[in-house]
Amino acid sequence: MTSTKVPLMFRAQIQGRCQLQYPPSNDAQTWAYEWVVKASDQVPRFGVGVKTRPYTFNWRFVTNSGQDEGVIRPVIGARGWPFYPGASMKGAFRRVCPPELVKCYCGDDEKLSPGILRFHGGYPVDNRWTDRKRLVDVVHPQESWQIRHESHHSASAQISLYQPTLAFGISSNTVLSEEKWAEIWNVWERALGLGLGSRVSAGYGQLKVKHENALLTVNLKGQGPASMLVNKSPEFRPNMFKAALRGHTLRLLGGLTDAGNAETITKELWGGFAERNGAIVGKLGIAFDARNLELDRHGNNQLPVYELEQGTLSILAMKSLEDLERQQLAGVTGLLVRFTMLLGGFGKSWRRVDHRLFFNSYATQPRNPMIGCHWEFNSVSRNLYYPVNELAEVTSYLKKIRGAFRSWLKSKDVPIIPEGSNWCEAWHPDHVQVWGRLAPNGESQAVKWFHGPYQGAQTIKGSALAGKMGQIGRIWHRMYPRTTTNASGVIQGPNGYVELLTIFPDDSSSTRAFLEFLQTRSEFEKVWPL
């Protein structure tokens, strides 16, 4: 056999042999193909006496085998099937098992005596995991590009299972009653509620079970451009919710303290890399359950788009928290979700309004790309809207959010630095301006300014302010569904929109001219800072 015939699974992760993590090499696609065609088509079966239950994952499930440095790929068992190891299953079970039951079920570590339960791991219940179009996953951190406007950002490939159903097996060395088994499965479902495998804080490994560790649950609907896998397959990816909330955490903290403190606290909350010290497990994570989700294509270039009628976003506590900290983090996450919904959205193209809703003549031209997204709270979560009877209330909300983050930092003895960080998108009054107008008829005035002159020959199209292909812009545009309150304080609507422009000005003449236009010749009013 020549070296070129050695399957990629058995080659070193070096250039010329196999670069599984490097998407342009296409090695990940070949790796997945070689794996699947040689795997058995027989579904693994548990032995006699093993109790089993199937559970379906909301999105993707990934377990890092640790076999190749720098590459995340599943644990692979006999006959080539991926599985969740029994040892990991026991660890997850033990983590949530009531203390008075741990020794009985899982064993006594001090006496080195075994428990009565045996954990046999989890295996797919069918062959759907072998869909090669879905096995190759993409991870694409963009934090530095979007917040600091640094130029370097790149995607990495990993291998994960798409919406698999796994059967988990448990047996006992003693005969147990049905009531005891119900108790055992109840403990296991509590473990599932925390998520299994890797990247659980970003939505991986989450199941359709009750999340007892949820700090906040929000019902949403939205539409916008969908992500694409390496092979151009569209996918609705729930990790975009963590990306948005994590990014806004950095922006808000970066406007109140220095860059080092802002990054440290953001990692404490959402996790991250600690260079030589490995990874930091954060206190917060997300789970998203999408229902009535449709994927489609748009225009001549067939860009994928999604339309979601109903989704439930849960912000999870990934660690055990004291009551006071739990209350603080519930408040912080609530503000982050409302801040995100007030000024932007989630996922690709969140800095622009959905052109199908607010610039239909542009969106219906088949040559034009899909631009923008639009998110709303569903009726169950309507009370999370900030009512806007007058534009001045937007000012109050933004002051309230920044003030709440300031108080939270003080409670943690983190120094408040008046000038904040020097990031381009630090939420500091010297770095950002918010302009708004009421749009009771639902029509946007600003959306056309991104595609042509806003006055005479003056335009921001393609400028540093509006951005262009490969260059992040300095302006967000949002049509925020407008609710109001009546004399009794009861929320009315949504009815119409509040049109908002969030601008991080540069010192160019085109930006100065646009700000002067907003000030003197538009319906927009500056709402922050005042």
Side-chain angles (χ1 to χ4, degrees):
M1 174 183 288
T2 64
S3 61
T4 58
K5 292 186 177 180
V6 175
L8 295 182
M9 185 178 290
F10 303 107
R11 297 190 195 181
Q13 292 291 324
I14 57 175
Q15 189 173 8
R17 298 288 182 83
C18 178
Q19 288 186 287
L20 182 58
Q21 195 177 10
Y22 184 53
S25 70
N26 206 38
D27 284 354
Q29 299 285 352
T30 306
W31 189 99
Y33 170 77
E34 293 177 347
W35 173 30
V36 169
V37 297
K38 293 298 183 182
S40 169
D41 58 0
Q42 298 297 311
V43 179
R45 302 295 181 191
F46 290 98
V48 176
V50 178
K51 303 282 188 181
T52 66
R53 282 194 180 182
Y55 296 90
T56 300
F57 290 80
N58 284 345
W59 178 44
R60 286 185 172 273
F61 174 58
V62 57
T63 52
N64 190 1
S65 69
Q67 293 185 11
D68 289 316
E69 185 179 0
V71 176
I72 294 178
R73 61 182 179 95
V75 182
I76 299 174
R79 300 183 178 87
W81 277 63
F83 74 107
Y84 186 69
S88 299
M89 186 178 175
K90 180 179 179 179
F93 184 96
R94 187 170 192 141
R95 184 170 54 170
V96 299
C97 187
E100 64 274 17
L101 298 175
V102 169
K103 290 182 180 178
C104 174
Y105 286 156
C106 302
D108 188 332
D109 287 343
E110 294 180 358
K111 297 180 179 178
L112 300 178
S113 59
I116 64 171
L117 298 182
R118 301 289 179 268
F119 297 89
H120 299 263
Y123 291 86
V125 299
D126 51 38
N127 288 301
R128 285 180 297 165
W129 67 271
T130 61
D131 181 359
R132 299 202 311 272
K133 293 181 180 178
R134 297 290 184 185
L135 277 174
V136 180
D137 190 4
V138 178
V139 182
H140 191 177
Q142 300 184 37
E143 191 173 280
S144 296
W145 184 53
Q146 295 216 17
I147 297 175
R148 304 176 187 88
H149 289 205
E150 296 173 353
S151 58
H152 179 72
H153 63 102
S154 60
S156 299
Q158 66 178 8
I159 308 296
S160 64
L161 307 184
Y162 182 73
Q163 294 183 341
T165 298
L166 265 61
F168 293 92
I170 305 174
S171 66
S172 171
N173 60 13
T174 61
V175 177
L176 299 177
S177 65
E178 290 301 318
E179 289 75 15
K180 271 294 180 187
W181 276 111
E183 179 182 76
I184 292 167
W185 287 115
N186 183 54
V187 173
W188 178 237
E189 291 192 359
R190 290 181 61 198
L192 295 177
L194 297 177
L196 294 185
S198 306
R199 299 183 185 272
V200 291
S201 68
Y204 286 82
Q206 300 290 350
L207 295 98
K208 295 178 180 177
V209 296
K210 182 179 180 182
H211 299 288
E212 294 184 358
N213 56 333
L215 297 172
L216 177 72
T217 300
V218 182
N219 289 279
L220 301 166
K221 62 179 181 180
Q223 62 181 58
S227 298
M228 282 195 295
L229 302 179
V230 175
N231 62 8
K232 307 301 181 185
S233 296
E235 184 168 293
F236 181 85
R237 297 175 63 82
N239 56 351
M240 66 185 182
F241 295 101
K242 178 183 172 181
L245 297 174
R246 193 182 197 284
H248 289 320
T249 302
L250 268 178
R251 290 181 180 93
L252 287 162
L253 295 179
L256 290 166
T257 187
D258 60 39
N261 283 322
E263 290 183 339
T264 298
I265 295 174
T266 300
K267 288 178 181 177
E268 287 178 3
L269 288 181
W270 296 104
F273 294 105
E275 300 179 351
R276 293 182 178 179
N277 297 321
I280 297 173
V281 178
K283 296 177 180 178
L284 301 175
I286 68 100
F288 192 80
D289 184 11
R291 301 174 187 173
N292 301 326
L293 171 68
E294 293 186 4
L295 290 170
D296 201 352
R297 299 276 185 175
H298 177 83
N300 285 350
N301 48 19
Q302 292 289 287
L303 289 177
V305 295
Y306 63 82
E307 185 167 349
L308 175 73
E309 282 298 316
Q310 185 178 352
T312 303
L313 172 65
S314 298
I315 312 296
L316 308 177
M318 306 305 292
K319 296 181 178 179
S320 179
L321 302 173
E322 299 291 336
D323 287 345
L324 176 59
E325 187 173 23
R326 187 179 180 88
Q327 291 173 10
Q328 286 179 328
L329 291 183
V332 166
T333 54
L335 290 172
L336 281 171
V337 169
R338 299 175 88 176
F339 181 83
T340 306
M341 290 289 284
L342 177 66
L343 298 175
F346 299 99
K348 295 183 68 175
S349 204
W350 65 267
R351 293 163 185 259
R352 296 287 182 270
V353 297
D354 191 310
H355 284 37
R356 294 171 298 178
L357 293 176
F358 302 106
F359 197 6
N360 192 50
S361 61
Y362 175 91
T364 53
Q365 294 297 316
R367 291 185 177 181
N368 289 337
M370 171 62 202
I371 298 177
C373 67
H374 184 73
W375 285 89
E376 296 185 2
F377 291 118
N378 271 333
S379 56
V380 177
S381 297
R382 190 183 65 154
N383 63 335
L384 291 175
Y385 278 121
Y386 288 123
V388 183
N389 295 294
E390 300 175 351
L391 273 178
E393 287 168 301
V394 177
T395 308
S396 299
Y397 300 138
L398 293 172
K399 286 181 177 178
K400 177 182 176 183
I401 292 171
R402 184 171 153 86
F405 270 75
R406 179 194 297 273
S407 299
W408 177 59
L409 286 182
K410 286 183 175 178
S411 74
K412 295 171 66 66
D413 294 327
V414 177
I416 302 298
I417 309 297
E419 63 272 21
S421 76
N422 61 355
W423 297 337
C424 181
E425 294 196 359
W427 196 263
H428 187 281
D430 291 345
H431 290 286
V432 61
Q433 300 178 14
V434 180
W435 295 72
R437 62 176 282 271
L438 301 180
N441 61 0
E443 294 183 1
S444 166
Q445 282 193 354
V447 66
K448 297 179 181 177
W449 300 342
F450 292 89
H451 301 275
Y454 59 85
Q455 177 180 250
Q458 292 179 299
T459 181
I460 59 173
K461 181 181 178 181
S463 67
L465 183 62
K468 54 189 175 183
M469 189 67 71
Q471 178 186 340
I472 199 77
R474 291 171 168 265
I475 185 169
W476 310 346
H477 183 204
R478 168 68 164 149
M479 296 293 283
Y480 182 66
R482 184 189 179 195
T483 58
T484 56
T485 52
N486 61 19
S488 303
V490 177
I491 295 177
Q492 311 287 310
N495 186 15
Y497 296 89
V498 184
E499 185 167 17
L500 295 166
L501 292 170
T502 302
I503 301 172
F504 300 88
D506 62 336
D507 57 1
S508 66
S509 58
S510 62
T511 296
R512 290 197 299 271
F514 182 67
L515 291 174
E516 183 181 354
F517 164 75
L518 288 178
Q519 177 74 42
T520 59
R521 302 194 179 184
S522 80
E523 292 182 11
F524 282 82
E525 299 176 23
K526 189 178 179 183
V527 296
W528 199 84
L530 293 178

